[in-house]
């Protein structure tokens, strides 16, 4: 795909030309890197020391990429081999931190883009965490518990030597929930003979944190609440579109509803459901129930026949005030953005990682839609992972109320820092530029302070 970035700073442009040539086949990574290089140009103009210390050249390259094979056997004793990865992108402000994704689309392009975004996201939280990402092209669908457990154990048997509580602290991501984290943690403990906070997203009985499953969805809505306040309004009486039906979508739906919004859509890879009466607490509990049983979203209309199911479609053509893409990358293309604008949406905040394409983002912004990038608005998950690391280090466990209050404060701080930075360097309410510049500056200053490493 050809990108149309307007990179005005000569240093940023030179780095973009180099990276886009070298990694021409890595479309997702290039979109992430190009958008950052475009938006940080104003601050790079004021800091010539960045070029003299080759900060940008280092910033766009991972410190380390680890690739390995993952052999495992199925229930019939047949051997299989998958590919495993860990992209340790930047450790300037703390140990690498980022999830593990088990999904067929996993490869270097996807993991580099996720790791690159994670560097800035973790910086925005102000917690001492670097950025990384990892995973495997393993697909758990149709696999037994025993097969998934054996895969997780084999994956950790290689990964364990590259991670540690002060080196690299993975978490879950798409395809990796509490079950998989627990099996990997058990294998790490077995190999290393030590109990440390080497993984986050653990069960509450062995070092996990309250609010972690809810954190990304809740944090998204807390961030959007701050955006709405800047617009002089709130969630009360607003109609919201949410894509996805996993943890992020579920808990975004729950919190938005609690704050007075009416959520009318959820989706999965098969299509979306539209419930114009709103997906209330009772209906959401049913979604959580059939989702846990790995059933598709059309299950919803079987119990609530007034709702409609749209096979193979996305919910962005429905009239609403707010939109929260919470499924996966590449959900909102330019034509989807045009539908959102035509149907009156005034705010889009990303719950997933880079669900909106670069040209769609720019169209939304030009059309007056207030847009929040995932590195800012979905940082609640990694923020609570950081809080879990703190609890593990102190051998403490905070209450649900304590963690929720800390999460809300972190999301408020991320919002305010992005908003104020945008006002200083870019355009008012340009959360993309504000988040990128604020996150970059902290990492860049740490990189320069530590020398050419």
């Amino acid at each position: 795909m050809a990108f149309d970035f307007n990179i005005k700073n000569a240093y940023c442009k030179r780095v973009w030309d180099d990276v886009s040539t070298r990694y021409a086949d890595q479309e997702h990574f290039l979109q992430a890197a190009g958008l950052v290089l475009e938006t940080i140009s104003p601050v790079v103009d004021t800091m010539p020391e960045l070029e003299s210390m080759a900060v940008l050249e280092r910033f766009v390259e991972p410190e380390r990429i680890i690739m390995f094979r993952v052999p495992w056997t199925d229930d019939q004793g047949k051997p299989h081999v998958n590919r495993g990865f860990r992209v340790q992108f930047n450790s300037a402000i703390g140990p690498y931190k980022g999830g593990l994704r088990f999904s067929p689309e996993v490869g270097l392009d996807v993991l580099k883009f996720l790791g690159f975004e994670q560097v800035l996201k973790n910086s925005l939280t102000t917690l001492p965490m670097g950025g990384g990402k990892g995973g495997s092209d393993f697909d758990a669908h149709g696999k037994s518990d025993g097969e998934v457990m054996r895969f997780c154990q084999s994956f950790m048997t290689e990964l364990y030597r590259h991670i540690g509580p002060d080196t690299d602290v993975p978490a879950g991501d798409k395809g990796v929930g509490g079950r998989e984290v627990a099996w990997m943690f058990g294998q790490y403990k077995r190999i290393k003979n030590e109990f440390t906070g080497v993984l986050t997203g653990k069960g509450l009985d062995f070092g996990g944190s309250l609010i972690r499953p809810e954190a990304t969805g809740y944090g998204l809505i807390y961030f959007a609440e701050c955006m709405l306040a800047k617009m002089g309004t709130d969630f009360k009486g607003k109609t919201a579109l949410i894509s996805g039906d996993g943890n992020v979508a579920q808990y975004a739906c729950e919190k938005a509803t609690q704050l007075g919004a009416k959520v009318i859509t959820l989706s999965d890879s098969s299509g979306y459901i539209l419930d114009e009466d709103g997906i209330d607490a009772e209906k959401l509990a049913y979604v959580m129930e059939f989702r846990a049983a790995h059933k598709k979203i059309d299950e919803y209309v079987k119990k609530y026949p007034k709702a409609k199911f749209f096979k193979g479609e996305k919910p962005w053509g429905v009239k609403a005030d707010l939109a929260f893409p919470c499924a996966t990358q590449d959900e909102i293309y330019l034509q989807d953005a045009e539908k959102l604008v035509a149907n009156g949406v005034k705010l889009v905040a990303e719950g997933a990682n880079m669900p909106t394409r670069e040209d769609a983002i720019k169209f939304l912004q030009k059309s007056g839609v207030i847009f929040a990038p995932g590195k800012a608005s979905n940082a609640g998950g990694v923020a609570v992972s950081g809080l879990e690391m703190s609890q593990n280090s102190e051998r403490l466990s905070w209450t649900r109320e304590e963690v929720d209050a800390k999460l809300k404060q972190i999301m408020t701080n991320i919002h305010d820092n992005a908003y104020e930075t945008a006002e200083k360097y870019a355009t008012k309410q340009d959360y993309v530029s504000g988040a990128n510049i604020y996150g970059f500056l902290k990492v860049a200053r740490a990189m320069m302070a530590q020398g050419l490493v």
Side-chain angles (χ1 to χ4, degrees):
M1 176 179 177
F3 294 103
D4 185 26
F5 294 115
N6 183 22
I7 301 176
K8 296 179 179 178
N9 175 269
Y11 178 34
C12 291
K13 181 67 164 61
R14 177 167 59 78
V15 172
W16 165 248
D17 289 342
D18 183 50
V19 77
S20 61
T21 300
R22 186 181 308 122
Y23 301 119
D25 60 329
Q26 296 180 4
E27 180 180 322
H28 294 93
F29 172 64
L30 289 181
Q31 174 172 329
L35 192 55
V36 169
L37 290 169
E38 178 183 62
T39 52
I40 66 172
S41 285
V43 73
V44 176
D45 284 338
T46 67
M47 299 176 68
E49 64 271 27
L50 294 171
E51 185 168 11
S52 64
M53 294 194 69
V55 170
L56 293 183
E57 289 91 337
R58 291 185 284 147
F59 188 71
V60 298
E61 290 289 346
E63 292 176 11
R64 188 175 298 107
I65 295 177
I66 301 151
M67 298 176 60
F68 50 93
R69 67 185 181 216
V70 187
W72 59 280
T73 56
D74 63 24
D75 290 340
Q76 287 70 47
K78 181 181 177 181
H80 300 266
V81 178
N82 284 88
R83 296 185 302 159
F85 304 86
R86 188 66 178 172
V87 177
Q88 296 176 331
F89 219 107
N90 192 298
S91 60
I93 62 174
Y96 308 106
K97 185 83 192 79
L100 296 170
R101 175 175 293 196
F102 293 169
S103 183
E105 87 274 7
V106 165
L108 282 182
D109 177 27
V110 169
L111 293 180
K112 281 179 64 180
F113 119 66
L114 291 169
F116 182 77
E117 291 280 288
Q118 197 77 47
V119 173
L120 294 163
K121 183 187 300 187
N122 293 357
S123 176
L124 283 164
T125 69
T126 72
L127 297 171
M129 302 181 293
K133 209 74 176 182
S136 173
D137 55 2
F138 176 77
D139 186 355
H141 289 97
K143 308 289 195 305
S144 69
D145 284 354
E147 289 170 333
V148 178
M149 181 179 70
R150 289 192 292 276
F151 175 83
C152 289
Q153 290 171 337
S154 181
F155 182 85
M156 183 53 72
T157 298
E158 175 58 36
L159 185 66
Y160 88 91
R161 69 191 79 236
H162 306 293
I163 63 176
D166 298 312
T167 304
D168 186 349
V169 184
D173 192 75
K174 181 180 178 182
V176 179
R179 176 185 70 162
E180 290 78 15
V181 168
W183 285 330
M184 286 188 283
F185 179 77
Q187 185 71 354
Y188 181 90
K189 184 166 62 72
R190 180 185 187 187
I191 295 168
K192 295 283 287 183
N193 192 30
E194 61 184 32
F195 194 110
T196 61
V198 71
L199 286 160
T200 57
K202 300 185 295 297
L204 294 176
D205 293 329
F206 54 100
S209 175
L210 290 159
I211 303 290
R212 180 60 189 90
E214 299 93 332
T216 307
Y218 279 15
L220 171 66
I221 301 305
Y222 291 149
F223 191 97
E225 187 178 27
C226 294
M227 296 171 72
L228 289 168
K230 288 292 185 183
M231 298 164 68
T233 186
D234 56 28
F235 273 100
K236 293 183 179 66
K238 301 289 192 301
T239 301
L241 310 176
I242 294 179
S243 67
D245 66 346
N247 266 9
V248 181
Q250 292 171 12
Y251 290 111
C253 178
E254 180 176 274
K255 184 58 66 175
T257 302
Q258 290 172 0
L259 294 177
K262 182 169 72 170
V263 177
I264 59 174
T265 68
L266 289 171
S267 71
D268 65 13
S269 58
S270 67
Y272 78 92
I273 56 107
L274 170 63
D275 187 339
E276 295 184 349
D277 292 334
I279 302 169
D280 59 20
E282 176 192 311
K283 294 173 180 176
L284 181 60
Y286 180 61
V287 172
M288 292 179 176
E289 179 185 321
F290 73 69
R291 178 68 169 74
H294 304 291
K295 295 182 179 178
K296 290 293 187 180
I297 196 68
D298 62 349
E299 198 74 17
Y300 186 95
V301 299
K302 297 177 184 177
K303 184 166 184 177
Y304 302 106
K306 285 181 67 177
K308 298 176 182 176
F309 172 64
F310 295 85
K311 184 177 180 180
E313 295 186 33
K314 296 181 284 188
W316 312 127
V318 178
K319 187 174 179 60
D321 304 299
L322 317 169
F324 301 101
C326 295
T328 189
Q329 67 265 15
D330 297 337
E331 291 186 64
I332 299 179
Y333 287 77
L334 179 59
Q335 60 267 33
D336 302 308
E338 291 169 346
K339 292 177 183 177
L340 288 167
V341 171
N343 282 283
V345 168
K346 299 300 182 186
L347 180 152
V348 175
E350 295 182 328
N353 292 307
M354 212 168 72
T356 315
R357 302 290 295 189
E358 172 254 345
D359 54 353
I361 292 172
K362 291 177 178 176
F363 177 81
L364 291 171
Q365 292 174 320
K366 287 177 183 176
S367 302
V369 175
I370 307 302
F371 177 86
K375 64 171 64 72
S377 53
N378 79 10
V382 75
V384 172
S385 282
L387 298 178
E388 182 177 329
M389 291 168 66
S390 297
Q391 292 172 81
N392 291 168
S393 296
E394 298 181 62
R395 299 292 195 268
L396 294 175
S397 182
W398 298 330
T399 66
R400 180 182 179 88
E401 291 73 22
E402 286 177 304
V403 178
D404 194 28
K406 291 176 188 293
L407 168 64
K408 187 168 186 178
Q409 187 60 58
I410 288 171
M411 297 310 298
T412 300
N413 291 344
I414 293 173
H415 170 274
D416 292 349
N417 289 333
Y419 185 91
E420 291 164 12
T421 303
E423 284 198 316
K424 181 178 180 180
Y425 289 103
T427 306
K428 187 176 181 179
Q429 291 188 313
D430 182 354
Y431 289 99
V432 176
S433 294
N436 285 341
I437 292 171
Y438 187 89
F440 168 74
L441 278 173
K442 181 178 180 180
V443 177
R445 286 193 294 260
M447 290 174 69
M448 289 189 290
Q450 295 166 28
L452 192 61
V453 295

